[in-house]
Amino acid sequence: MKKMPLFSKSHKNPAEIVKILKDNLAILEKQDKKTDKASEEVSKSLQAMKEILCGTNEKEPPTEAVAQLAQELYSSGLLVTLIADLQLIDFEGKKDVTQIFNNILRRQIGTRSPTVEYISAHPHILFMLLKGYEAPQIALRCGIMLRECIRHEPLAKIILFSNQFRDFFKYVELSTFDIASDAFATFKDLLTRHKVLVADFLEQNYDTIFEDYEKLLQSENYVTKRQSLKVFVASPHKTQPIVEILLKNQPKLIEFLSSFQKERTDDEQFADEKNYLIKQIRDLKKTAP
C-alpha cells in the first residue's frame, strides 16, 4: 500500500511555513509599502502553524509535524523573532502567537520539556516578555506567556535571580490599571508557585527585595499596596524572611490599614478584607529559631 505524504501540495510543511513567516516578518520590520501583503501572509502562516500544533476538530495534531515545527522554531530563531516583532502583528495574530508559544512550551517528550530547555539556553526570551509590560499594545499578551514560563521551575529561577526581577516593582505601579494588575498577577505567581525555590531566593536576597517591598508599602497606589500585602500576609505558608519583614513593619501596617478609607462603611467585602489583613498582621509572632 502506497504511503500518503505527510503534507499535500496545498498544505505547506513546517520548514516552509517558518520560512514564509520569517520572510514576511522581515518585511513588516521595514515598515514599507509591502506591509499589507506581508501582514496577510504572517496571519496565514500563524494560522497554519496553530493548526499543526493544536490540530482541528476533525483531527489530532500530527506528532511528526509538531516535532518538525518545534525544531524549526528553535533552529531558525523564529520563537525569538515572534516576540521581538509582536507589536507589528495584528490583533488576531498576537493571540495566535500567544497560543503557539504556550502550546510549544507545554510540549513534552517523556520527562523532557524541549522548549523549557531552549528558553533556559536563551534566557533573553524571558526578559523580552518581561519588558513587554512597557508596551501597552502587547503587555497583556506578554503577561500570559510569562506566566506560562513561570509554571516551569527552571524558567522561574532565571527570572527570580536576575537583575530584571526588580522591574516588577516598577510595573505593578504602572498607571494603566489592567497592565499593573497583570504584572502583579505574574509577580504573585513568581513568589508563590515554587515554594522551595522562593524560600531559597528570599533567604539570599532578603535585604534587597524587602527594600523594594517596603517602597511598595509606601506607594500612593492603594491597589498595589493591598495586593502586595495579600500576597505576603494572606499566604498560609509564609517563609521566615517574609515573617520578619512583616513583624518589623507590624505597627506601621496595622496603623495604615486601620485608618485607610474609614469612610467606606457601605462596602462589606472591603471591610472584611481589611479586618482579615489586620488580624493576620496582629497575630504574627516570631517563630523560634
Side-chain angles (χ1 to χ4, degrees):
M1 188 176 156
K2 192 180 175 188
K3 193 178 175 189
M4 292 293 288
L6 189 59
F7 300 97
S8 67
K9 287 261 169 61
S10 60
H11 283 77
K12 294 181 172 58
N13 67 41
E16 289 169 331
I17 295 168
V18 166
K19 185 178 185 321
I20 291 166
L21 193 42
K22 276 205 86 168
D23 291 348
N24 284 283
L25 283 170
I27 295 167
L28 286 188
E29 286 168 13
K30 289 178 192 159
Q31 290 290 290
D32 59 21
K33 289 174 187 171
K34 297 177 187 166
T35 54
D36 285 353
K37 174 74 177 143
S39 188
E40 200 179 301
E41 287 297 325
V42 166
S43 295
K44 285 197 316 205
S45 298
L46 287 170
Q47 282 287 338
M49 203 176 272
K50 200 169 75 168
E51 192 174 308
I52 290 174
L53 287 174
C54 307
T56 61
N57 291 336
E58 294 83 43
K59 61 178 192 289
E60 286 288 301
T63 311
E64 193 183 326
V66 171
Q68 281 179 31
L69 180 57
Q71 200 48 53
E72 288 291 337
L73 278 168
Y74 308 146
S75 60
S76 68
L78 182 61
L79 207 58
V80 179
T81 310
L82 284 171
I83 296 163
D85 290 347
L86 197 57
Q87 292 197 66
L88 304 174
I89 298 170
D90 66 20
F91 180 76
E92 285 302 319
K94 285 184 180 72
K95 282 168 44 179
D96 288 341
V97 169
T98 308
Q99 200 172 339
I100 289 162
F101 182 90
N102 286 1
N103 186 293
I104 206 97
L105 191 56
R106 290 182 202 123
R107 179 172 169 262
Q108 285 189 286
I109 302 173
T111 56
R112 282 183 56 228
S113 297
T115 309
V116 173
E117 292 169 13
Y118 178 80
I119 295 173
S120 295
H122 301 81
H124 61 290
I125 293 173
L126 296 168
F127 305 128
M128 286 165 71
L129 290 173
L130 183 56
K131 201 165 175 58
Y133 278 124
E134 296 173 22
Q137 316 93 302
I138 60 168
L140 301 183
R141 291 278 138 211
C142 287
I144 293 168
M145 290 185 271
L146 202 49
R147 282 190 294 282
E148 190 64 40
C149 290
I150 287 165
R151 292 166 68 94
H152 304 274
E153 192 167 332
L155 304 185
K157 185 176 183 177
I158 291 169
I159 301 170
L160 270 175
F161 286 90
S162 70
N163 293 331
Q164 290 91 328
F165 171 77
R166 295 182 74 173
D167 290 343
F168 276 108
F169 294 95
K170 176 175 67 178
Y171 298 146
V172 299
E173 289 221 72
L174 288 168
S175 55
T176 310
F177 177 77
D178 56 345
I179 297 175
S181 296
D182 195 277
F184 199 88
T186 308
F187 178 68
K188 179 184 172 185
D189 252 21
L190 202 49
L191 288 177
T192 54
R193 188 171 279 279
H194 307 286
K195 291 188 170 48
V196 175
L197 172 67
V198 170
D200 182 39
F201 164 72
L202 290 173
E203 293 287 355
Q204 289 185 44
N205 298 276
Y206 176 81
D207 294 332
T208 312
I209 294 311
F210 287 112
E211 256 174 50
D212 288 315
Y213 183 60
E214 285 185 82
K215 283 179 204 157
L216 267 193
L217 294 180
Q218 288 152 21
S219 156
E220 292 301 308
N221 183 339
Y222 173 65
V223 173
T224 296
K225 207 178 267 192
R226 190 187 79 188
Q227 285 183 324
S228 62
L229 274 170
K230 282 178 80 173
V231 165
F232 290 104
V233 177
S235 168
H237 307 293
K238 288 182 276 293
T239 60
Q240 194 52 36
I242 289 175
V243 172
E244 283 175 18
I245 196 70
L246 291 171
L247 281 167
K248 181 181 160 192
N249 290 280
Q250 200 173 33
K252 215 169 15 177
L253 292 172
I254 291 169
E255 184 188 348
F256 159 71
L257 285 166
S258 301
S259 60
F260 189 81
Q261 293 201 358
K262 279 184 170 175
E263 69 280 3
R264 279 179 72 174
T265 50
D266 56 337
D267 189 338
E268 280 186 35
Q269 187 184 340
F270 173 80
D272 287 348
E273 195 175 87
K274 200 166 88 159
N275 290 334
Y276 172 75
L277 288 175
I278 291 169
K279 183 179 185 314
Q280 290 288 311
I281 294 166
R282 195 170 271 145
D283 291 352
L284 274 174
K285 289 181 178 61
K286 195 166 180 69
T287 53

